[in-house]
Amino acid sequence: MRFLLPLILLPLIEIAVFVQVGDKVGALWTVLLTIATAVIGIALVQLQGIRTLNSAREHMAMGELPAQHMIEGVILLVSGVFLLIPGFVTDTLGFLGVMPFIRGPLAASISRGVLAPKIQVYRGEPGSTRANDSGRIIEGEYERKD
């Protein structure tokens, strides 16, 4: 039911907005605006996708997990789909997902809510311990083999 309601309501809302816009600017301009938003939106998704991919590669090269960038990539994918669907409401949602100042905080909140908290390991002298940010102490031994 959570997914069925938006699938029913979204086309109805899009039709209502199409009628309102078409009434104000005319049918031809409404169609041209719909095509223009799709073309501009897909170009923005490509540009932002390349930036996100490059940033993820940089983090991976530093040995960090690019979880935030992976979530941003999924947001960009969904935004691209919204931009391809004809309609002004879905285009607005798509453009919001493309904007880095919205996509970044959204991805951060998703990663905080979905992903398990990171465990930081202190790599000091053998036998030494240090509490990580969560207050838990992780003790362990390791041996480096080349």
Coordinates of all heavy atoms in Angstrom, one line a residue, residues 14-87:
E14 N 0.3 14.9 -11.8 CA 1.0 15.4 -13.1 C 0.0 15.9 -14.1 O 0.2 16.9 -14.7 CB 1.8 14.3 -13.7 CG 3.0 13.9 -12.9 CD 4.2 14.9 -13.0 OE1 4.0 16.0 -13.5 OE2 5.3 14.6 -12.6
I15 N -1.1 15.2 -14.2 CA -2.2 15.6 -15.2 C -2.7 17.0 -14.8 O -2.9 17.9 -15.6 CB -3.3 14.6 -15.3 CG1 -2.7 13.3 -16.0 CG2 -4.5 15.1 -16.0 CD1 -3.6 12.1 -16.0
A16 N -3.0 17.2 -13.5 CA -3.5 18.4 -13.0 C -2.5 19.6 -13.3 O -2.9 20.7 -13.7 CB -3.8 18.3 -11.5
V17 N -1.3 19.3 -13.0 CA -0.2 20.4 -13.3 C -0.1 20.7 -14.8 O 0.0 21.8 -15.2 CB 1.1 20.0 -12.6 CG1 2.2 20.9 -13.0 CG2 1.0 19.9 -11.1
F18 N -0.2 19.6 -15.6 CA -0.1 19.8 -17.1 C -1.3 20.7 -17.5 O -1.1 21.6 -18.3 CB -0.2 18.5 -17.8 CG 1.1 17.9 -18.2 CD1 1.4 16.6 -17.8 CD2 2.0 18.6 -18.9 CE1 2.6 16.0 -18.1 CE2 3.2 18.0 -19.3 CZ 3.5 16.7 -18.9
V19 N -2.5 20.4 -17.0 CA -3.6 21.2 -17.4 C -3.4 22.7 -16.9 O -3.7 23.6 -17.7 CB -4.9 20.6 -16.8 CG1 -6.1 21.6 -16.9 CG2 -5.2 19.3 -17.4
Q20 N -2.9 22.9 -15.7 CA -2.7 24.3 -15.3 C -1.7 25.0 -16.1 O -1.9 26.2 -16.5 CB -2.3 24.3 -13.8 CG -3.4 23.8 -12.8 CD -4.6 24.7 -12.8 OE1 -4.4 25.9 -12.8 NE2 -5.8 24.1 -12.8
V21 N -0.6 24.4 -16.3 CA 0.5 25.0 -17.1 C 0.0 25.2 -18.6 O 0.3 26.3 -19.2 CB 1.8 24.1 -17.1 CG1 2.8 24.7 -18.1 CG2 2.4 24.1 -15.7
G22 N -0.6 24.2 -19.1 CA -1.1 24.3 -20.5 C -2.1 25.5 -20.6 O -2.2 26.1 -21.6
D23 N -2.9 25.7 -19.6 CA -3.9 26.7 -19.6 C -3.2 28.1 -19.6 O -3.7 29.1 -20.2 CB -4.8 26.6 -18.4 CG -6.0 27.5 -18.4 OD1 -6.6 27.7 -19.5 OD2 -6.3 28.1 -17.4
K24 N -2.1 28.2 -18.9 CA -1.4 29.5 -18.8 C -0.5 29.8 -20.0 O -0.5 30.9 -20.4 CB -0.5 29.5 -17.5 CG -1.2 29.3 -16.2 CD -2.0 30.5 -15.9 CE -2.7 30.3 -14.5 NZ -3.8 31.2 -14.3
V25 N 0.2 28.8 -20.5 CA 1.2 29.1 -21.6 C 0.8 28.4 -22.9 O 1.5 28.7 -23.9 CB 2.6 28.6 -21.1 CG1 3.1 29.4 -19.9 CG2 2.7 27.1 -20.9
G26 N -0.1 27.5 -22.9 CA -0.5 26.9 -24.2 C 0.1 25.5 -24.3 O 1.1 25.1 -23.6
A27 N -0.5 24.7 -25.1 CA -0.1 23.3 -25.3 C 1.3 23.1 -25.8 O 2.1 22.3 -25.4 CB -1.1 22.5 -26.1
L28 N 1.6 23.9 -26.9 CA 2.9 23.8 -27.5 C 4.0 24.1 -26.5 O 5.0 23.3 -26.4 CB 3.0 24.6 -28.8 CG 4.4 24.6 -29.5 CD1 4.6 23.2 -30.0 CD2 4.4 25.7 -30.6
W29 N 3.9 25.2 -25.8 CA 5.0 25.6 -24.8 C 5.0 24.5 -23.7 O 6.1 24.3 -23.2 CB 4.7 27.0 -24.3 CG 5.1 28.0 -25.3 CD1 4.3 28.8 -26.0 CD2 6.4 28.3 -25.7 NE1 5.0 29.6 -26.8 CE2 6.4 29.4 -26.6 CE3 7.7 27.9 -25.3 CZ2 7.5 29.9 -27.3 CZ3 8.8 28.4 -25.9 CH2 8.7 29.4 -26.9
T30 N 3.9 24.0 -23.3 CA 4.0 22.9 -22.3 C 4.8 21.7 -22.7 O 5.6 21.2 -22.0 CB 2.5 22.5 -21.9 OG1 1.8 23.7 -21.5 CG2 2.5 21.5 -20.8
V31 N 4.5 21.3 -24.0 CA 5.3 20.2 -24.5 C 6.8 20.5 -24.6 O 7.7 19.7 -24.3 CB 4.7 19.7 -25.9 CG1 5.6 18.7 -26.5 CG2 3.3 19.2 -25.7
L32 N 7.1 21.7 -25.1 CA 8.5 22.1 -25.3 C 9.2 22.2 -23.9 O 10.3 21.9 -23.8 CB 8.6 23.4 -26.0 CG 8.2 23.4 -27.5 CD1 8.2 24.8 -28.1 CD2 9.1 22.4 -28.3
L33 N 8.5 22.7 -22.9 CA 9.0 22.8 -21.6 C 9.3 21.4 -21.0 O 10.4 21.2 -20.4 CB 8.1 23.5 -20.6 CG 8.1 25.1 -20.6 CD1 7.0 25.6 -19.8 CD2 9.4 25.6 -20.1
T34 N 8.4 20.5 -21.3 CA 8.6 19.1 -20.8 C 9.9 18.5 -21.5 O 10.7 17.9 -20.8 CB 7.4 18.3 -21.1 OG1 6.3 18.9 -20.5 CG2 7.5 16.9 -20.6
I35 N 10.0 18.7 -22.8 CA 11.2 18.2 -23.5 C 12.5 18.9 -23.0 O 13.5 18.2 -22.7 CB 11.0 18.3 -25.0 CG1 9.9 17.4 -25.5 CG2 12.3 18.0 -25.7 CD1 9.4 17.7 -26.9
A36 N 12.4 20.2 -22.8 CA 13.6 20.9 -22.4 C 14.0 20.5 -21.0 O 15.3 20.4 -20.7 CB 13.3 22.4 -22.4
T37 N 13.1 20.3 -20.1 CA 13.5 19.9 -18.7 C 14.1 18.5 -18.7 O 15.1 18.3 -18.0 CB 12.3 19.9 -17.7 OG1 11.3 19.1 -18.2 CG2 11.8 21.3 -17.5
A38 N 13.7 17.6 -19.6 CA 14.3 16.3 -19.7 C 15.7 16.4 -20.2 O 16.6 15.8 -19.7 CB 13.4 15.4 -20.6
V39 N 15.9 17.2 -21.3 CA 17.2 17.3 -21.9 C 18.2 18.0 -20.9 O 19.3 17.5 -20.7 CB 17.2 18.1 -23.2 CG1 18.5 18.4 -23.7 CG2 16.4 17.3 -24.2
I40 N 17.8 19.1 -20.3 CA 18.7 19.8 -19.4 C 19.0 18.9 -18.1 O 20.1 18.8 -17.6 CB 18.1 21.1 -19.0 CG1 18.0 22.1 -20.2 CG2 18.8 21.8 -17.8 CD1 17.2 23.3 -20.0
G41 N 17.9 18.2 -17.7 CA 18.1 17.4 -16.5 C 19.0 16.2 -16.7 O 19.9 16.0 -15.9
I42 N 18.9 15.6 -17.8 CA 19.8 14.5 -18.1 C 21.3 15.0 -18.2 O 22.2 14.3 -17.8 CB 19.4 13.7 -19.4 CG1 18.0 13.0 -19.1 CG2 20.4 12.7 -19.8 CD1 18.1 12.1 -17.9
A43 N 21.5 16.1 -18.8 CA 22.8 16.7 -18.9 C 23.4 17.0 -17.5 O 24.6 16.7 -17.2 CB 22.8 18.0 -19.8
L44 N 22.6 17.5 -16.6 CA 23.0 17.7 -15.3 C 23.3 16.4 -14.5 O 24.2 16.4 -13.8 CB 21.9 18.5 -14.5 CG 21.8 20.0 -14.8 CD1 20.6 20.6 -14.1 CD2 23.1 20.7 -14.4
V45 N 22.5 15.4 -14.8 CA 22.7 14.1 -14.1 C 24.0 13.5 -14.6 O 24.8 13.0 -13.7 CB 21.5 13.1 -14.4 CG1 21.9 11.7 -14.0 CG2 20.3 13.5 -13.7
Q46 N 24.3 13.6 -15.8 CA 25.6 13.1 -16.3 C 26.8 13.9 -15.7 O 27.8 13.3 -15.3 CB 25.7 13.3 -17.9 CG 24.9 12.3 -18.6 CD 24.9 12.5 -20.1 OE1 25.2 13.5 -20.6 NE2 24.6 11.4 -20.8
L47 N 26.7 15.2 -15.7 CA 27.8 16.0 -15.1 C 28.0 15.7 -13.6 O 29.1 15.5 -13.2 CB 27.4 17.5 -15.3 CG 28.4 18.5 -14.7 CD1 29.7 18.5 -15.4 CD2 27.9 19.9 -14.7
Q48 N 26.9 15.7 -12.9 CA 27.0 15.4 -11.4 C 27.4 13.9 -11.2 O 28.1 13.7 -10.2 CB 25.7 15.7 -10.7 CG 25.3 17.2 -10.7 CD 26.3 18.0 -9.9 OE1 26.8 17.5 -8.9 NE2 26.7 19.1 -10.4
G49 N 27.0 13.0 -12.0 CA 27.4 11.6 -11.9 C 28.9 11.5 -12.1 O 29.5 10.7 -11.4
I50 N 29.4 12.2 -13.1 CA 30.9 12.1 -13.3 C 31.6 12.7 -12.1 O 32.6 12.1 -11.6 CB 31.3 12.8 -14.6 CG1 30.7 12.0 -15.8 CG2 32.8 13.0 -14.7 CD1 30.8 12.7 -17.1
R51 N 31.2 13.8 -11.6 CA 31.8 14.4 -10.4 C 31.7 13.4 -9.2 O 32.7 13.3 -8.4 CB 31.1 15.7 -10.0 CG 31.5 16.8 -11.0 CD 30.9 18.1 -10.5 NE 31.2 19.2 -11.5 CZ 30.7 20.4 -11.5 NH1 29.8 20.7 -10.6 NH2 31.0 21.2 -12.4
T52 N 30.6 12.8 -9.0 CA 30.4 11.9 -7.8 C 31.3 10.7 -8.0 O 31.9 10.2 -7.1 CB 28.9 11.5 -7.7 OG1 28.1 12.6 -7.5 CG2 28.7 10.5 -6.6
L53 N 31.4 10.1 -9.2 CA 32.2 9.0 -9.5 C 33.7 9.3 -9.3 O 34.4 8.6 -8.6 CB 32.1 8.5 -11.0 CG 32.9 7.3 -11.4 CD1 32.6 6.1 -10.6 CD2 32.7 7.1 -12.9
N54 N 34.2 10.5 -9.7 CA 35.6 10.9 -9.5 C 35.8 11.1 -8.0 O 36.9 10.7 -7.5 CB 35.9 12.2 -10.2 CG 36.0 11.9 -11.7 OD1 36.2 10.8 -12.2 ND2 35.7 13.0 -12.5
S55 N 34.9 11.6 -7.3 CA 35.1 11.8 -5.8 C 35.2 10.5 -5.1 O 36.0 10.3 -4.2 CB 34.0 12.7 -5.3 OG 34.2 12.9 -3.9
A56 N 34.3 9.5 -5.5 CA 34.3 8.2 -5.0 C 35.7 7.5 -5.2 O 36.2 6.8 -4.3 CB 33.2 7.4 -5.5
R57 N 36.2 7.7 -6.4 CA 37.5 7.1 -6.8 C 38.6 7.7 -5.9 O 39.5 6.9 -5.5 CB 37.8 7.3 -8.2 CG 37.0 6.4 -9.2 CD 37.5 6.7 -10.6 NE 36.7 5.8 -11.5 CZ 36.6 6.0 -12.8 NH1 37.2 7.0 -13.3 NH2 35.9 5.2 -13.5
E58 N 38.5 9.0 -5.7 CA 39.6 9.6 -4.8 C 39.5 9.0 -3.4 O 40.5 8.8 -2.8 CB 39.3 11.1 -4.8 CG 39.7 11.8 -6.1 CD 39.3 13.3 -6.0 OE1 38.9 13.8 -5.0 OE2 39.4 13.9 -7.1
H59 N 38.3 8.9 -2.9 CA 38.2 8.3 -1.5 C 38.6 6.8 -1.5 O 39.3 6.4 -0.5 CB 36.7 8.4 -1.0 CG 36.4 9.8 -0.6 ND1 36.6 10.2 0.7 CD2 35.8 10.8 -1.2 CE1 36.2 11.5 0.8 NE2 35.7 11.9 -0.4
M60 N 38.3 6.1 -2.5 CA 38.8 4.7 -2.6 C 40.3 4.6 -2.7 O 40.9 3.8 -2.1 CB 38.1 3.9 -3.7 CG 36.7 3.6 -3.4 SD 35.7 2.8 -4.7 CE 36.9 2.0 -5.8
A61 N 40.9 5.6 -3.4 CA 42.4 5.6 -3.5 C 43.0 5.9 -2.2 O 44.2 5.5 -1.9 CB 42.8 6.6 -4.5
M62 N 42.3 6.6 -1.3 CA 42.9 6.9 0.0 C 42.5 5.8 1.0 O 42.8 5.9 2.2 CB 42.3 8.2 0.5 CG 42.8 9.5 -0.2 SD 42.2 11.0 0.5 CE 40.5 11.0 0.2
G63 N 41.9 4.7 0.5 CA 41.5 3.6 1.4 C 40.3 3.8 2.2 O 40.0 3.1 3.1
E64 N 39.4 4.8 1.8 CA 38.2 5.0 2.5 C 37.0 4.4 1.8 O 37.1 4.2 0.6 CB 37.9 6.5 2.7 CG 39.0 7.3 3.4 CD 38.8 8.8 3.4 OE1 37.8 9.2 2.8 OE2 39.6 9.5 3.9
L65 N 36.0 4.0 2.5 CA 34.8 3.4 1.9 C 34.0 4.6 1.4 O 33.6 5.4 2.2 CB 34.0 2.6 2.9 CG 32.8 2.0 2.4 CD1 33.1 0.9 1.3 CD2 32.0 1.3 3.5
P66 N 33.6 4.6 0.1 CA 32.9 5.8 -0.4 C 31.3 5.6 -0.3 O 30.6 5.7 -1.3 CB 33.3 5.8 -1.9 CG 33.6 4.4 -2.2 CD 34.1 3.8 -0.9
A67 N 30.9 5.2 0.9 CA 29.5 4.9 1.1 C 28.6 6.1 0.8 O 27.6 6.0 0.1 CB 29.2 4.5 2.5
Q68 N 29.0 7.3 1.2 CA 28.2 8.5 0.9 C 28.1 8.7 -0.6 O 27.0 9.1 -1.1 CB 29.0 9.7 1.5 CG 28.4 11.1 1.1 CD 27.4 11.6 2.1 OE1 27.3 11.1 3.2 NE2 26.8 12.7 1.7
H69 N 29.2 8.5 -1.3 CA 29.1 8.7 -2.8 C 28.3 7.7 -3.5 O 27.7 7.9 -4.5 CB 30.6 8.7 -3.3 CG 31.4 9.8 -2.7 ND1 31.2 11.1 -3.0 CD2 32.4 9.8 -1.8 CE1 32.1 11.9 -2.3 NE2 32.8 11.0 -1.6
M70 N 28.3 6.5 -2.9 CA 27.5 5.4 -3.5 C 26.0 5.7 -3.4 O 25.2 5.6 -4.3 CB 27.8 4.1 -2.9 CG 29.2 3.6 -3.2 SD 29.8 2.2 -2.2 CE 28.5 1.0 -2.2
I71 N 25.6 6.3 -2.2 CA 24.2 6.7 -2.0 C 23.9 7.8 -2.9 O 22.8 7.9 -3.5 CB 24.0 7.0 -0.5 CG1 24.2 5.7 0.3 CG2 22.6 7.6 -0.3 CD1 24.1 5.9 1.8
E72 N 24.8 8.8 -3.0 CA 24.6 9.9 -3.9 C 24.4 9.4 -5.4 O 23.6 10.0 -6.1 CB 25.7 10.9 -3.9 CG 25.8 11.7 -2.6 CD 26.8 12.8 -2.7 OE1 27.0 13.4 -3.7 OE2 27.3 13.2 -1.6
G73 N 25.1 8.4 -5.8 CA 24.9 7.8 -7.1 C 23.6 7.2 -7.3 O 23.0 7.4 -8.3
V74 N 23.0 6.6 -6.3 CA 21.7 6.0 -6.3 C 20.7 7.2 -6.4 O 19.7 7.1 -7.2 CB 21.4 5.1 -5.1 CG1 19.9 4.7 -5.1 CG2 22.3 3.9 -5.2
I75 N 20.9 8.2 -5.6 CA 20.0 9.4 -5.7 C 20.0 10.0 -7.1 O 19.0 10.4 -7.7 CB 20.4 10.4 -4.6 CG1 20.1 9.9 -3.2 CG2 19.6 11.7 -4.9 CD1 20.6 10.7 -2.1
L76 N 21.2 10.1 -7.7 CA 21.3 10.6 -9.1 C 20.6 9.7 -10.1 O 19.9 10.2 -11.0 CB 22.8 10.7 -9.5 CG 23.5 12.0 -8.9 CD1 25.0 11.9 -9.2 CD2 22.9 13.2 -9.6
L77 N 20.7 8.4 -9.9 CA 20.0 7.5 -10.8 C 18.5 7.7 -10.7 O 17.8 7.8 -11.7 CB 20.3 6.0 -10.4 CG 19.6 4.9 -11.2 CD1 20.0 4.9 -12.6 CD2 19.8 3.6 -10.6
V78 N 17.9 7.8 -9.5 CA 16.5 8.0 -9.3 C 16.1 9.3 -9.8 O 15.1 9.5 -10.5 CB 16.1 7.8 -7.8 CG1 14.7 8.3 -7.5 CG2 16.3 6.4 -7.3
S79 N 17.0 10.3 -9.6 CA 16.7 11.7 -10.2 C 16.6 11.6 -11.7 O 15.8 12.3 -12.3 CB 17.7 12.7 -9.7 OG 17.7 12.8 -8.3
G80 N 17.5 10.9 -12.3 CA 17.5 10.8 -13.8 C 16.2 10.1 -14.3 O 15.7 10.5 -15.3
V81 N 15.8 9.1 -13.6 CA 14.5 8.5 -14.0 C 13.3 9.5 -13.8 O 12.5 9.6 -14.7 CB 14.2 7.2 -13.1 CG1 12.8 6.7 -13.3 CG2 15.2 6.1 -13.4
F82 N 13.3 10.3 -12.7 CA 12.3 11.3 -12.6 C 12.3 12.3 -13.7 O 11.3 12.8 -14.1 CB 12.4 12.0 -11.2 CG 11.8 11.2 -10.1 CD1 12.3 11.5 -8.8 CD2 10.8 10.3 -10.2 CE1 11.7 10.8 -7.7 CE2 10.3 9.6 -9.1 CZ 10.7 9.9 -7.9
L83 N 13.5 12.7 -14.1 CA 13.7 13.7 -15.2 C 13.2 13.1 -16.5 O 12.8 13.9 -17.4 CB 15.1 14.2 -15.3 CG 15.5 15.1 -14.1 CD1 17.0 15.3 -14.0 CD2 14.8 16.4 -14.2
L84 N 13.3 11.8 -16.7 CA 12.9 11.2 -18.0 C 11.4 11.1 -18.0 O 10.8 11.0 -19.1 CB 13.6 9.9 -18.2 CG 15.0 10.0 -18.7 CD1 15.6 8.6 -18.8 CD2 15.1 10.7 -20.0
I85 N 10.7 10.9 -16.9 CA 9.3 10.8 -16.8 C 8.7 12.2 -17.2 O 9.0 13.2 -16.6 CB 8.8 10.3 -15.4 CG1 9.3 9.0 -15.1 CG2 7.3 10.4 -15.4 CD1 9.1 8.5 -13.7
P86 N 7.8 12.2 -18.2 CA 7.2 13.5 -18.5 C 6.3 14.0 -17.4 O 5.5 13.3 -16.9 CB 6.3 13.2 -19.8 CG 6.7 11.8 -20.2 CD 7.3 11.1 -19.1
G87 N 6.6 15.3 -17.0 CA 5.8 15.9 -16.0 C 6.6 16.9 -15.2 O 7.8 16.8 -15.1

